[in-house]
Amino acid sequence: MYFTLLAIIAVIPFVLGIVILFHNRTPLFNVAVAFLILLAVWQFDISLLYGTDLFSKEFVLRWFSLLRFGIIFNLPIVCLFMYLLLTRYSKTGFFAKTIPLAGLRLLLIASVMLSMAVFVVSNTRYGIKNMTVYDDGYPFPLHYYPQFGDWQWAFLLNIGLTLLIAFVLIFLSFFLAVKEYRFFSVNLSIAIFTVIGIGMLSGYKILPLFVSGISSVMLTLLIFIGLIQNLNRGLKDQKNLLHKIMNLNPNYIYVKNEDHQFILVNEAMAGLYGSEADEILYHTDLELNPRSVQAVRIEMEEKKVMLGIKPKYEKLEKIVDYRGDTKWIEVLKIPVVLEGKQLILCVGTDITQRIRDEEYILKTEKMSVVGELAAGVAHEIRNPLTSLKGFVQFLGEDGTLSNHNILRIMSEEIDRINEVVDELLLIAKPQGKSFKEIYAAEILDDVLLMLKETANAFHIQFDANIDPGVSFSGNKNHLKQVFLNLVKNSIEAMEFGGTIRIWCVNTSDGFAEFILEDEGEGIEQDRIDKLGEPFFTTKERGTGLGLTVCYKIIKEEHRGTIQFQSQVGKGTKVTIRLPLDPLGKENV
């Protein structure tokens, strides 16, 4: 009975060693596999001693001596373990620097040679010379007991060195760099030291022999627990790494279940809702945006994907985030089946900037074409226009003609055409950087003086708050044209009169900031983005070139910014920011 029980116990570490071998083949775990297999051989070797009713003394003596390598060759295993810890897994490399690498290799070779010598001796009369039967009663049942030879000291030396190195390994294990390896190594070192120690106490009748079998099972389970925790930590670390990679990805990534609830969300996607990823898990789009038509549309599209109506969904979508900003997203939605559950994976790429860049390139190309066209048209028109203007003036001086009113209108229309030609030429020709120090008050005072009579005719007042100390480098005439266009547009937009307010200050970040605010009819939001494009205008008889010239002077020539804000029926606000030294800013 004892032999059968202990033989079954010996199978446990062997099976665990095979399991580890198939799940993890790193050098550290290979050491554990070798130890468990040797432990299984040793435990089976001990079980033979309890086969008094099954085996003869000669049979037990022969096989006990052969299978004794299970305990003897633990010395090379612990030396290999030490070698790996000091050369591959040490946290700081301190021990590897203290102990020469050649010394570690020499120790490993010596341990192999010593173990082989001890094994050879153990299979002679100098190691184990005979078997006797002992029946000392409980807790020492009937069993064979070896009679040791004169060289038994070699075996004891082998075991003593194994225990010493195993004890040192317990301490060295704390210097492993990887946490899961550190935990497993401590467990393995303790297991080796404890199993061999208890085995020696059992071999010399201090403890019953079967105690070593029970300790082997317990410590095998300890190693198994270490393996499971190692695997769990590895899976947890992989999960954390995947989450970190997913969160670092600028694309919008999420997974939804059959109920359209978010079950996996990266931080970029959570940013569209203005919340953390954990806060939107197990919620639907409709729950996060109860009144959103966008949420209804998304859910309907995802239903089609899950039902297989659209096996793969690819589309460019216009999305509005929680701040109200519009984004263009390239969306890819794919159905996924995981453990019988229908899921949907979505990856969205924000191409808003790319679309803006493309629009800017198109606008730039359009400006280039308009510039070339403008130069040709302006020169072709200007020559005959000059002639027509001269003839009209000549006819106007003739006192015999009665249609002076018609000639006056013709002269005014020719002047208007001439203004358009001047604007075309300003668009076409490159602007030189002939800047000088100018004061904002000088420009605005001249503009308001020129438009004062026109403003009075429309019952419009100016409320100017201009810091007299605001000065910057720029082209005075060109900037005067900008403010003339803007103030004139405001006057024309205020059909029923009102007040035009103008501010001008120096900002702390090195800009001169101008703000013009009127009380006119305002501009629709979808038309603001098109302001500045050639031939786009909100006026019935406008050409759209006035604002195009303004944009060119402010943005390209003076390296500034111009921004329009407007509400229909309430008015328009224009903010212009000019760097104090545009040439210096450009050269930085």
Side-chain angles (χ1 to χ4, degrees):
M1 182 184 71
Y2 281 102
F3 166 76
T4 304
L5 179 61
L6 292 175
I8 293 173
I9 289 175
V11 175
I12 296 175
F14 179 80
V15 172
L16 178 59
I18 299 301
V19 171
I20 295 176
L21 184 64
F22 280 98
H23 282 81
N24 196 319
R25 295 188 178 183
T26 58
L28 188 63
F29 283 83
N30 287 340
V31 170
V33 170
F35 169 70
L36 289 171
I37 292 176
L38 289 176
L39 178 60
V41 173
W42 181 32
Q43 290 303 308
F44 185 76
D45 194 28
I46 292 175
S47 69
L48 289 173
L49 298 177
Y50 287 84
T52 54
D53 56 345
L54 298 175
F55 312 114
S56 64
K57 289 193 296 183
E58 292 75 14
F59 179 87
V60 173
L61 175 61
R62 182 171 65 252
W63 284 103
F64 181 81
S65 300
L66 288 173
L67 296 178
R68 213 178 185 197
F69 76 85
I71 180 66
I72 293 173
F73 280 91
N74 271 293
L75 178 59
I77 294 301
V78 295
C79 288
L80 176 61
F81 194 2
M82 176 181 285
Y83 178 83
L84 292 173
L85 289 185
L86 296 180
T87 58
R88 299 189 61 171
Y89 295 98
S90 179
K91 184 174 182 180
T92 62
F94 169 76
F95 295 100
K97 294 176 182 178
T98 305
I99 303 175
L101 187 62
L104 293 173
R105 291 174 178 170
L106 183 61
L107 176 63
L108 182 58
I109 295 171
S111 68
V112 174
M113 295 178 66
L114 176 61
S115 297
M116 292 177 66
V118 172
F119 177 70
V120 171
V121 170
S122 294
N123 282 271
T124 66
R125 294 185 60 82
Y126 294 101
I128 302 175
K129 57 184 179 181
N130 201 359
M131 285 286 175
T132 58
V133 178
Y134 279 84
D135 186 9
D136 296 335
Y138 183 83
F140 299 98
L142 183 68
H143 63 278
Y144 290 113
Y145 190 80
Q147 291 181 344
F148 300 110
D150 296 335
W151 286 15
Q152 174 64 7
W153 61 267
F155 175 79
L156 296 176
L157 175 63
N158 177 280
I159 297 301
L161 290 174
T162 305
L163 288 172
L164 176 62
I165 297 175
F167 181 79
V168 173
L169 285 173
I170 297 174
F171 172 71
L172 295 180
S173 297
F174 289 100
F175 289 88
L176 293 184
V178 183
K179 182 171 60 177
E180 58 266 24
Y181 286 157
R182 182 168 62 249
F183 182 83
F184 184 79
S185 177
V186 170
N187 282 2
L188 180 58
S189 302
I190 293 175
I192 294 174
F193 181 83
T194 306
V195 167
I196 295 177
I198 292 176
M200 289 301 297
L201 294 175
S202 300
Y204 285 92
K205 296 185 180 180
I206 300 175
L207 293 174
L209 278 172
F210 61 81
V211 172
S212 66
I214 297 173
S215 68
S216 298
V217 173
M218 298 300 295
L219 293 169
T220 299
L221 292 177
L222 180 64
I223 296 174
F224 181 72
I225 292 171
L227 172 65
I228 297 300
Q229 290 182 340
N230 174 267
L231 294 175
N232 288 338
R233 283 192 181 95
L235 292 174
K236 185 178 180 181
D237 289 344
Q238 287 183 358
K239 181 180 178 181
N240 292 335
L241 177 62
L242 290 175
H243 272 285
K244 185 174 291 186
I245 292 173
M246 190 175 69
N247 287 329
L248 289 174
N249 195 321
N251 292 335
Y252 306 112
I253 303 174
Y254 67 82
V255 177
K256 288 184 179 179
N257 59 17
E258 294 175 334
D259 299 323
H260 300 279
Q261 295 174 330
F262 292 99
I263 60 173
L264 182 64
V265 180
N266 72 340
E267 292 180 357
M269 183 65 195
L272 288 177
Y273 292 93
S275 62
E276 298 295 329
D278 294 339
E279 296 176 1
I280 67 175
L281 290 178
Y282 301 102
H283 290 82
T284 66
D285 278 295
L286 285 173
E287 291 172 346
L288 296 170
N289 297 298
R291 301 179 182 178
S292 173
V293 177
Q294 175 178 286
V296 176
R297 175 177 55 79
I298 290 174
E299 187 164 311
M300 291 179 63
E301 291 169 350
E302 291 176 350
K303 281 183 179 179
K304 293 178 181 179
V305 175
M306 284 189 175
L307 294 174
I309 300 174
K310 290 184 177 180
K312 185 178 180 181
Y313 179 86
E314 292 182 272
K315 188 178 179 182
L316 179 62
E317 291 187 351
K318 185 179 181 181
I319 302 294
V320 179
D321 65 11
Y322 76 102
R323 291 188 297 263
D325 296 335
T326 300
K327 297 180 180 291
W328 289 97
I329 313 293
E330 280 185 344
V331 178
L332 172 63
K333 296 181 180 179
I334 305 173
V336 178
V337 178
L338 182 63
E339 297 180 353
K341 296 181 180 180
Q342 184 70 49
L343 308 175
I344 184 169
L345 168 66
C346 176
V347 180
T349 304
D350 190 344
I351 62 168
T352 306
Q353 189 59 45
R354 190 176 81 189
I355 289 179
R356 289 174 180 170
D357 291 342
E358 290 173 354
E359 291 177 350
Y360 176 77
I361 291 172
L362 290 174
K363 187 180 293 186
T364 303
E365 291 178 350
K366 184 189 293 185
M367 287 292 293
S368 178
V369 172
V370 168
E372 294 176 5
L373 177 63
V377 171
H379 286 292
E380 292 297 326
I381 293 176
R382 174 150 287 181
N383 291 333
L385 198 61
T386 303
S387 301
L388 288 174
K389 178 69 174 179
F391 285 128
V392 169
Q393 290 177 344
F394 174 75
L395 292 174
E397 295 172 357
D398 189 350
T400 61
L401 294 177
S402 58
N403 296 322
H404 289 286
N405 192 39
I406 295 175
L407 292 174
R408 181 184 58 80
I409 294 173
M410 290 175 62
S411 179
E412 290 175 356
E413 290 302 307
I414 290 173
D415 289 338
R416 184 171 178 274
I417 295 172
N418 200 39
E419 289 178 3
V420 173
V421 171
D422 289 338
E423 290 177 343
L424 285 172
L425 287 174
L426 186 58
I427 293 174
K429 66 181 180 180
Q431 303 301 317
K433 303 297 183 181
S434 56
F435 291 169
K436 63 180 181 179
E437 187 75 12
I438 53 177
Y439 285 88
E442 294 179 1
I443 299 174
L444 294 176
D445 287 345
D446 290 348
V447 170
L448 298 182
L449 181 62
M450 285 187 285
L451 295 176
K452 182 177 180 180
E453 295 300 326
T454 305
N456 291 336
F458 283 87
H459 306 288
I460 294 172
Q461 296 179 344
F462 293 122
D463 180 8
N465 186 2
I466 305 168
D467 185 349
V470 176
S471 65
F472 52 91
S473 180
N475 188 312
K476 183 176 180 180
N477 291 331
H478 289 175
L479 289 175
K480 188 180 293 187
Q481 182 175 356
V482 169
F483 290 105
L484 274 171
N485 281 334
L486 293 176
V487 175
K488 187 178 178 182
N489 287 343
S490 295
I491 292 174
E492 293 174 355
M494 297 169 63
E495 182 179 355
F496 302 103
T499 303
I500 297 176
R501 297 175 179 83
I502 303 173
W503 295 272
C504 178
V505 294
N506 268 342
T507 64
S508 58
D509 54 348
F511 285 83
E513 185 173 79
F514 299 82
I515 298 176
L516 287 78
E517 189 172 4
D518 64 46
E519 299 173 349
E521 58 188 13
I523 307 171
E524 293 85 353
Q525 190 64 36
D526 58 344
R527 305 182 76 177
I528 288 180
D529 295 335
K530 295 183 179 181
L531 293 177
E533 294 184 7
F535 307 115
F536 175 81
T537 180
T538 59
K539 304 176 186 177
E540 292 184 3
R541 299 184 61 191
T543 62
L545 294 176
L547 282 182
T548 302
V549 171
C550 291
Y551 271 79
K552 186 177 181 68
I553 292 172
I554 296 297
K555 288 188 171 184
E556 296 182 21
E557 185 178 359
H558 287 79
R559 313 286 291 181
T561 61
I562 180 169
Q563 182 182 10
F564 285 81
Q565 294 173 291
S566 185
Q567 287 185 323
V568 176
K570 293 187 177 181
T572 301
K573 178 181 178 181
V574 185
T575 303
I576 295 175
R577 286 167 58 87
L578 298 174
L580 301 183
D581 186 7
L583 292 180
K585 183 179 181 64
E586 183 183 28
N587 293 331
V588 172

